[in-house]
Amino acid sequence: MADQLDWGSEASEPVKPKRRVPLWAWFCGGGCLLMLVTFVVASVAAVSCAKEMADPDTQWKELEKVVVVETRPEGEIFGMKVPFQDLRVISIQQGMTKIDFMIAGGAQADELRSQFLDPSAEMDLGPLLGNMGRYEPEEIVLSVQGRELRGMRFLTQKPDAAGESQDAAQDENADPAEMDPADAMKLAMRQSTVALDISPEGGTKTVIVQYSHMGSLEKIEDAEVIEFLGHFKLGGGD
C-alpha cells in the first residue's frame, strides 16, 4: 500500500484568508529570475562565493543533503542561499526547462509550503514585470515511487496575455544563456509550472520542486515530471 503523507493538523485548520505571495519566493523560484538575482548577488560577493554558486560539485552536495540522488540529471546546475533566510535554492537548467529545488527550514519552511501549495495565495506584479503572477492554479496529487505528492499546477501569465503564437515560435532547443537579456527576461515571465512537495518523510527540511517550461503556457504533462523525479529516491535524505 502506498505511503501516505502526514499533513498533521493542516486538514483541521480553518480556511485562511487569501495571501499575496512574498516576492522572495518568486525571485528565488521563478525561472530565469533566479539567474538575475544570482548575478546581482555574485557581483557584490567575494569571487569565492560566486564560484561556489556555479560549482556543480558544491551544489550537488547541498542537494544530496535533503534528497537522495540516484543519477544526476543532465543540465547546468547552480544555486544560492538566500541571505537572512533559512532558504536555499538549487536550480537545474535543461534548455527551455527549468527545475528549482527550494529547501527551507524553520518559519521559512511553513511559509514556503503554504505559499506554493495554497491555491488562495495570489500574486500580480503588474505590467512592469510583464503582468507576471500566478494564474489558473490547480491543486494536484501525483503518485511517485509509492508516495502521493501534493502540489500545484499554474501559469505565470494569463493565456490571452501571451498568445499562442508566442508559444509556437519558441525553439525547444534554445539556450536562454545565449539569448539577448531582454528576450531571456520575457521567457522568465512566461512559464507553465508544476510545483510539488517532495520533502523527505521524517526530515527536518521542506523541499519544494518547481518544474517549469519557459516561454510556454502549455500544460506540463504529469508523466514528464514523474520521469524527471526518477533521478531521485524520494523519501530518503536526512
Side-chain angles (χ1 to χ4, degrees):
M1 182 176 179
D3 296 336
Q4 298 296 320
L5 292 180
D6 181 12
W7 298 107
S9 60
E10 291 180 9
S12 61
E13 291 181 357
V15 177
K16 299 178 181 179
K18 290 186 177 182
R19 293 181 295 272
R20 303 195 71 79
V21 177
L23 292 183
W24 63 260
W26 289 90
F27 283 114
C28 296
C32 279
L33 290 176
L34 174 59
M35 286 192 279
L36 176 62
V37 174
T38 302
F39 174 78
V40 172
V41 174
S43 297
V44 298
V47 174
S48 60
C49 292
K51 288 182 177 179
E52 181 177 314
M53 281 187 273
D55 179 60
D57 288 335
T58 297
Q59 299 309 322
W60 280 117
K61 287 178 181 177
E62 290 293 339
L63 186 57
E64 288 166 352
K65 289 179 180 179
V66 294
V67 180
V68 175
V69 181
E70 295 198 310
T71 58
R72 293 182 177 181
E74 296 182 356
E76 299 293 328
I77 185 171
F78 55 95
M80 63 178 286
K81 183 181 184 303
V82 178
F84 312 113
Q85 300 279 341
D86 188 359
L87 173 66
R88 179 178 294 275
V89 181
I90 298 174
S91 301
I92 299 174
Q93 185 84 46
Q94 298 179 332
M96 301 297 288
T97 298
K98 181 78 158 31
I99 305 100
D100 300 302
F101 292 85
M102 291 163 281
I103 305 161
Q108 279 73 45
D110 295 336
E111 182 73 6
L112 186 69
R113 179 177 285 174
S114 64
Q115 295 293 352
F116 275 88
L117 303 178
D118 183 355
S120 68
E122 296 180 341
M123 185 191 77
D124 186 349
L125 297 182
L128 183 62
L129 289 178
N131 294 311
M132 187 178 182
R134 186 168 71 175
Y135 302 98
E136 300 187 6
E138 173 192 354
E139 289 185 278
I140 60 174
V141 177
L142 297 189
S143 180
V144 183
Q145 300 176 24
R147 290 183 61 185
E148 300 298 308
L149 301 180
R150 180 185 172 197
M152 186 173 300
R153 189 192 316 277
F154 59 90
L155 307 175
T156 61
Q157 285 186 344
K158 294 179 180 179
D160 57 2
E164 295 181 358
S165 61
Q166 289 181 313
D167 282 358
Q170 295 299 333
D171 179 358
E172 64 179 10
N173 296 315
D175 184 353
E178 298 179 358
M179 293 181 177
D180 178 273
D183 291 337
M185 285 300 295
K186 288 179 181 178
L187 287 178
M189 295 173 185
R190 187 171 67 255
Q191 297 182 22
S192 176
T193 294
V194 171
L196 289 173
D197 186 346
I198 63 168
S199 304
E201 295 174 311
T204 59
K205 296 287 187 179
T206 288
V207 183
I208 302 293
V209 61
Q210 182 171 269
Y211 190 100
S212 303
H213 284 173
M214 297 189 298
S216 174
L217 298 181
E218 294 295 321
K219 176 182 176 180
I220 298 175
E221 297 298 328
D222 294 348
E224 180 180 343
V225 180
I226 293 173
E227 180 180 2
F228 174 80
L229 293 177
H231 291 283
F232 308 91
K233 182 179 179 181
L234 302 182
D238 295 332

